[in-house]
Amino acid sequence: MKKLASGILLVLSTIAHSQSLTQTIKGQITDEQSGSPIIGATVQILGSSPPMGGITDVDGFFKIEKVPIGRQTLGISYLGYESITIPDILVGAGKEVVMNAKLIESLQQLDEVVVTSENQEKGQPRNELATISAISLGMDEISRFPATFDDPARAALTYAGVQTGGDDLLNEIVIRGNSPKGILWRLEGVEIPNPNHFTAIGSSAGGISMLSNNMLANSDFFTGAFPAQYGNATSGIFDLQLRQGNFDNHEHAIQAGLLGVAAASEGPLSKSKRASYLFNYRYSTLALLTELGLDILGEEEDITFQDLSYKVRIPTKKLGSFSFWGLGGRNTYQFIPNESSDNWENDVESQNTGAAGVTNVFYVNEDSFFETIISGSYNQLMSNYDSLDVLTLESSDFIETQMRFSTYFNHKFSARHTMRVGTVLSRLGYNLSNTYWNRQERQFVTPLDEDDHAGFYQVFGNWQYRTSDQFTLNSGLHFSHFAINGKTYVEPRLGFKWDRGSHIISGGIGMHSRMETIALYTARQYLEDGSYVQNNKDLGFTQAFHSALGFEKMLKPKLRFKAEVYYQHLFNVPIWPNDTTSDYRLLTFSTLNTLDGYTTDELANDGTGKNYGVELTLEKFLTNGFYMLSTASLYRSKYTGSDGVERSTQFDGGYIYNFLTGKEFKVGKSGNNTLSLNGKLIFAGGKRQAPINIVASINEGHTIYRYDENYDLKLDGYFRMDFGISYRKNRKRTTSVISLDIQNLTQRENEFFRYYNVGQRRIESDSQVSFFPNLSYRIEF
């Protein structure tokens, strides 16, 4: 009988254990201004019964064990600091949760600190110098939002003022009517090349991101009025951060989907020193299937890509912490017609991209630290296009290298005053070649053949002044110098945030600038005697004045309303010189309408532009498994070319509306598993192009556009519905997720551009991709 009773108790114990899966939450709490660890801070799992929590140690680290899986809210408090809460933390059985946070020192002497859920950290940027037009992209959100495909750029489409660049095959985004070329990509605090597969020279986008959300920590996304720390951007900034690997336990993940097969691993290098590693590798599923003998695309096409990213962090006692990080990607596209093909063109494109660096954070004392980064990058784009249909042959090989030394010093004088000053020294190397067959002159032309380097130097200073717990003022200055032509830019910045308790008012103004691609500055135009000139070597940067004013209010717990109005004036924009042509295609040209590429023709910094609008956001934080995000934007985007006429840019759609919602259901006998349904709607005004001259098109036998009315024609409005469904299953030591994401569920054919069909003798439209699914399976252990 005793053996039977013992057996029953054992079974019941096992069942009870299986019904209460748990995991560990850990992290580090630091001072927001100085970066120093906060010792003795209280960290609690809000709403837990019995109460669960921990206290930070001498290095600011905490650990809370046996936290029930599911969504949890973290409350953090410390005497003399403002308390915060971090809601909706997803706790799974397969991986420990690392949650780092920063506290702001209070200017009032507090007798007692009470943790509440009012001061939400959700969506607040990591950079404490940002006051407006900035959000934090959470990696949980990127994986939750439908049809993002683990891509930060596609995830940004959900937020106010952001829309697609006009081609759903690419992750191009338009921010407040600006060209996507004005976006800056940063990784681990330093500028990097465009981190996307299948890109083009001068582009900021591509088909697939090289960075997986397996690697990313919460990262900042800016849509305007950037702090003085940032330069070389006029449209937006992705300031991406790689997360730290688990320094206590080894954890792994394997993921397979229609886009790629990936493996990730992380763990301790030295538990006593909290040293860790983290890496992720991915290989194209299409390429893998082709190697196995399954030709999905057909014999004429071949698509291959792979990428690797890593971070190794090694803290030391005397020299601070060192992080060794990197990102690399390769991809190839080939179209080679077979003997029976009607398409007599051969197109081969390939890309090799890499960035690596070492970051050192050294604390002088509890109020001061240096952050120093030495990095290098390499970006090669090769193409070869051969067509018998149009009798052309073109080949190019663009190689750009960047060596950077970046450092800044941060000092907290008091709870009111913080200073940050720094510099970025860049050596921009380039080896650029481009050759094509000129049919008219029946000879090869080489518009690019350059192998050299140039310097780009930046210096910045920020001063943060807090008059009270409610009002913060950030002022700064950014200085840039481009050695290739000696151009210098001085850019003052100013931002404020006023927390009235019931609502927040914020604002920012500043000057900003952005260089063109190196190929544009070095391109050659050949003269009749065989000599050449570099028309654009002295071309300046595009400059922009940004201003924005914002209002934010919590309407009720976990329901936030935000509004922003903005005005941007762009000047020194490269356009066609106004006295050299009567061709309206050139008279209406502006780089504000370009997506990539370069030109050998002479340009002048005489163009202007402006963007203005209002953005509204209503966000329901995740509550009882339900969340909602609704954004609406009304805007205009204008430019002036060399003819002096103000026109709409091609991105002047006029309006954007996004609606995102989702619901999580606890399923299974013990409620340990989760079924998630997510949906997104996008309504936006169509892009613009020149109207078609029907009579001239009929007479000439091909499409003739009316460039004297450039961008007057507005394409049909853009509509897209995305859908995602996933099932998360937690076991004792593993978490598995199967998910299906569908882009453009309704298969709507959004207009790409219009043209004249000679055979049909009518105007027709080419459409964007109508439907794209991605099925994937992931296991964490």
Side-chain angles (χ1 to χ4, degrees):
M1 179 66 83
K2 289 183 178 181
K3 291 183 178 180
L4 179 60
S6 299
I8 293 174
L9 289 175
L10 179 61
V11 172
L12 292 176
S13 175
T14 302
I15 294 173
H17 179 74
S18 67
Q19 292 179 345
S20 57
L21 299 177
T22 63
Q23 188 53 274
T24 296
I25 297 180
K26 61 186 180 183
Q28 186 182 34
I29 310 301
T30 57
D31 182 289
E32 183 169 277
Q33 279 74 35
S34 70
S36 60
I38 296 178
I39 305 171
T42 300
V43 185
Q44 303 176 35
I45 304 296
L46 299 185
S48 60
S49 180
M52 305 183 69
I55 303 295
T56 56
D57 61 17
V58 293
D59 295 316
F61 287 94
F62 72 93
K63 178 184 287 188
I64 308 174
E65 298 178 322
K66 297 183 179 180
V67 178
I69 64 170
R71 295 284 178 178
Q72 302 291 349
T73 297
L74 212 61
I76 306 171
S77 62
Y78 184 67
L79 186 64
Y81 282 77
E82 299 178 12
S83 303
I84 64 170
T85 64
I86 306 176
D88 311 328
I89 301 170
L90 180 60
V91 181
K95 293 174 69 68
E96 292 184 342
V97 178
V98 179
M99 186 60 58
N100 300 322
K102 300 178 181 179
L103 296 184
I104 302 175
E105 186 176 356
S106 176
L107 294 174
Q108 300 178 3
Q109 189 66 37
L110 300 178
D111 297 326
E112 181 182 4
V113 175
V114 179
V115 179
T116 68
S117 59
E118 296 301 318
N119 192 9
Q120 301 276 3
E121 281 296 288
K122 181 174 173 59
Q124 300 301 318
R126 292 170 54 102
N127 193 319
E128 64 274 12
L129 301 175
T131 58
I132 195 169
S133 301
I135 60 171
S136 175
L137 286 174
M139 295 309 104
D140 175 43
E141 294 174 334
I142 290 179
S143 60
R144 187 199 312 162
F145 293 175
T148 62
F149 310 127
D150 296 339
D151 184 342
R154 295 182 191 273
L157 285 174
T158 306
Y159 294 97
V162 184
Q163 66 180 118
T164 67
D167 185 353
D168 283 343
L169 281 176
L170 303 178
N171 60 6
E172 254 168 359
I173 61 172
V174 173
I175 301 173
R176 294 178 171 176
N178 286 287
S179 166
K181 283 178 58 178
I183 293 176
L184 172 72
W185 287 95
R186 285 166 51 106
L187 182 64
E188 289 291 289
V190 68
E191 181 177 348
I192 61 170
N194 177 4
N196 292 290
H197 291 291
F198 307 107
T199 185
I201 186 74
S203 172
S204 67
I208 301 170
S209 174
M210 294 181 185
L211 280 165
S212 167
N213 68 336
N214 290 333
M215 297 291 299
L216 293 173
N218 286 2
S219 303
D220 288 345
F221 173 57
F222 296 85
T223 58
F226 323 125
Q229 186 174 348
Y230 301 100
N232 197 27
T234 53
S235 172
I237 297 172
F238 283 97
D239 192 7
L240 304 176
Q241 297 291 323
L242 298 176
R243 64 183 179 86
Q244 179 183 345
N246 194 322
F247 48 76
D248 285 328
N249 299 298
H250 292 279
E251 297 176 337
H252 317 283
I254 297 174
Q255 183 169 339
L258 297 181
L259 288 178
V261 178
S265 181
E266 60 185 289
L269 295 175
S270 171
K271 291 186 179 182
S272 60
K273 296 180 180 180
R274 291 195 170 99
S276 64
Y277 74 90
L278 170 68
F279 78 86
N280 184 88
Y281 174 75
R282 180 175 56 173
Y283 191 78
S284 165
T285 301
L286 288 175
L288 185 62
L289 293 176
T290 301
E291 292 180 5
L292 294 175
L294 300 175
D295 194 357
I296 304 299
L297 295 176
E299 297 180 357
E300 296 182 339
E301 282 191 287
D302 181 31
I303 296 177
T304 303
F305 71 86
Q306 58 183 314
D307 46 63
L308 171 71
S309 49
Y310 67 89
K311 181 175 182 178
V312 176
R313 184 176 184 272
I314 303 177
T316 67
K317 291 183 178 180
K318 295 182 178 181
L319 300 178
S321 66
F322 289 86
S323 295
F324 301 86
W325 52 269
L327 165 70
R330 301 183 63 182
N331 58 261
T332 301
Y333 170 79
Q334 295 186 74
F335 181 88
I336 302 176
N338 56 39
E339 295 180 357
S340 60
S341 176
D342 295 330
N343 192 346
W344 294 96
E345 65 179 27
N346 188 335
D347 187 9
V348 179
E349 302 174 11
S350 64
Q351 175 188 1
N352 298 296
T353 299
V358 55
T359 301
N360 173 250
V361 179
F362 175 73
Y363 285 91
V364 180
N365 52 50
E366 63 179 9
D367 294 321
S368 306
F369 71 90
F370 283 94
E371 180 176 286
T372 303
I373 306 169
I374 299 176
S375 67
S377 66
Y378 177 90
N379 188 38
Q380 181 181 30
L381 298 172
M382 295 181 291
S383 66
N384 188 81
Y385 181 73
D386 185 4
S387 175
L388 294 177
D389 291 336
V390 294
L391 296 177
T392 185
L393 174 65
E394 181 174 0
S395 63
S396 63
D397 188 357
F398 300 112
I399 299 176
E400 294 180 332
T401 60
Q402 301 170 344
M403 296 296 297
R404 284 193 170 88
F405 173 81
S406 172
T407 186
Y408 71 81
F409 174 67
N410 192 97
H411 179 67
K412 178 181 177 181
F413 293 94
S414 66
R416 294 184 184 275
H417 296 279
T418 302
M419 174 194 70
R420 179 176 296 179
V421 293
T423 184
V424 183
L425 309 178
S426 304
R427 182 189 186 276
L428 310 180
Y430 50 90
N431 187 345
L432 313 172
S433 65
N434 182 213
T435 302
Y436 70 92
W437 174 256
N438 188 313
R439 286 191 301 166
Q440 285 73 30
E441 299 180 9
R442 302 185 63 80
Q443 64 179 3
F444 283 100
V445 177
T446 304
L448 267 179
D449 188 11
E450 294 291 319
D451 185 2
D452 205 344
H453 68 273
F456 181 43
Y457 313 114
Q458 302 172 77
V459 178
F460 65 87
N462 281 286
W463 190 280
Q464 183 179 86
Y465 173 48
R466 301 174 63 215
T467 63
S468 64
D469 286 341
Q470 288 75 40
F471 190 84
T472 300
L473 183 69
N474 289 317
S475 59
L477 192 67
H478 190 97
F479 170 91
S480 299
H481 178 76
F482 191 36
I484 210 169
N485 54 25
K487 303 286 186 181
T488 299
Y489 304 91
V490 180
E491 304 166 2
R493 317 276 177 85
L494 183 67
F496 74 90
K497 186 175 182 179
W498 188 14
D499 189 343
R500 300 292 306 277
S502 60
H503 58 274
I504 297 173
I505 299 174
S506 58
I509 58 174
M511 298 291 297
H512 310 274
S513 63
R514 172 75 171 180
M515 73 165 63
E516 299 294 328
T517 176
I518 292 290
L520 180 63
Y521 296 107
T522 58
R524 301 173 176 182
Q525 185 178 51
Y526 283 86
L527 306 178
E528 293 183 358
D529 60 0
S531 64
Y532 67 85
V533 293
Q534 292 177 306
N535 289 315
N536 297 310
K537 197 163 188 177
D538 292 329
L539 195 69
F541 291 7
T542 295
Q543 294 183 266
F545 170 76
H546 286 194
S547 60
L549 184 65
F551 174 85
E552 179 180 331
K553 183 178 178 62
M554 295 296 295
L555 302 179
K556 59 176 63 177
K558 295 197 174 185
L559 181 63
R560 180 171 62 191
F561 171 77
K562 292 176 64 176
E564 281 193 30
V565 294
Y566 65 89
Y567 177 83
Q568 300 175 349
H569 172 64
L570 294 91
F571 57 101
N572 284 346
V573 178
I575 60 173
W576 195 267
N578 60 7
D579 58 352
T580 60
T581 184
S582 59
D583 184 350
Y584 272 100
R585 181 179 62 86
L586 304 176
L587 289 171
T588 60
F589 170 83
S590 171
T591 55
L592 296 182
N593 294 305
T594 59
L595 299 172
D596 53 39
Y598 74 98
T599 179
T600 61
D601 296 320
E602 181 181 4
L603 300 178
N605 290 111
D606 297 328
T608 61
K610 62 183 179 183
N611 304 305
Y612 55 92
V614 58
E615 299 168 354
L616 305 175
T617 300
L618 183 65
E619 182 174 15
K620 175 72 170 64
F621 301 159
L622 191 67
T623 309
N624 297 324
F626 172 77
Y627 73 94
M628 181 271 296
L629 176 64
S630 177
T631 67
S633 305
L634 297 174
Y635 72 99
R636 296 306 306 268
S637 178
K638 300 285 188 176
Y639 84 101
T640 302
S642 59
D643 63 349
V645 177
E646 184 179 73
R647 291 180 168 85
S648 292
T649 68
Q650 73 156 313
F651 311 111
D652 187 20
Y655 66 91
I656 313 166
Y657 176 72
N658 296 317
F659 180 77
L660 171 72
T661 188
K663 174 67 176 177
E664 295 181 350
F665 302 90
K666 292 183 178 181
V667 295
K669 293 181 179 180
S670 55
N672 288 329
N673 307 323
T674 304
L675 175 67
S676 299
L677 301 175
N678 303 280
K680 180 172 65 177
L681 297 176
I682 303 175
F683 296 91
K687 299 295 188 295
R688 293 174 176 268
Q689 69 170 63
I692 297 173
N693 188 326
I694 299 179
V695 174
S697 298
I698 294 174
N699 293 335
E700 295 293 330
H702 61 88
T703 306
I704 301 295
Y705 293 101
R706 297 187 57 90
Y707 287 109
D708 58 330
E709 300 175 8
N710 210 358
Y711 303 115
D712 279 0
L713 173 63
K714 188 176 182 181
L715 300 180
D716 292 342
Y718 180 93
F719 170 76
R720 199 178 89 195
M721 177 186 293
D722 300 334
F723 175 75
I725 180 171
S726 67
Y727 178 70
R728 176 181 292 267
K729 185 175 182 61
N730 288 289
R731 296 181 177 89
K732 186 176 181 179
R733 291 186 178 87
T734 66
T735 298
S736 57
V737 183
I738 183 169
S739 59
L740 173 64
D741 279 310
I742 300 176
Q743 178 178 290
N744 200 356
L745 181 66
T746 63
Q747 303 187 50
R748 174 184 168 91
E749 295 185 352
N750 290 298
E751 269 195 299
F752 194 15
F753 64 91
R754 294 182 189 176
Y755 64 97
Y756 179 74
N757 188 320
V758 177
Q760 299 295 324
R761 300 179 65 85
R762 66 187 181 193
I763 294 176
E764 293 186 353
S765 295
D766 202 1
S767 301
Q768 301 186 46
V769 59
S770 62
F771 181 79
F772 187 82
N774 183 44
L775 179 67
S776 68
Y777 175 79
R778 174 182 173 87
I779 182 168
E780 301 171 350
F781 56 97

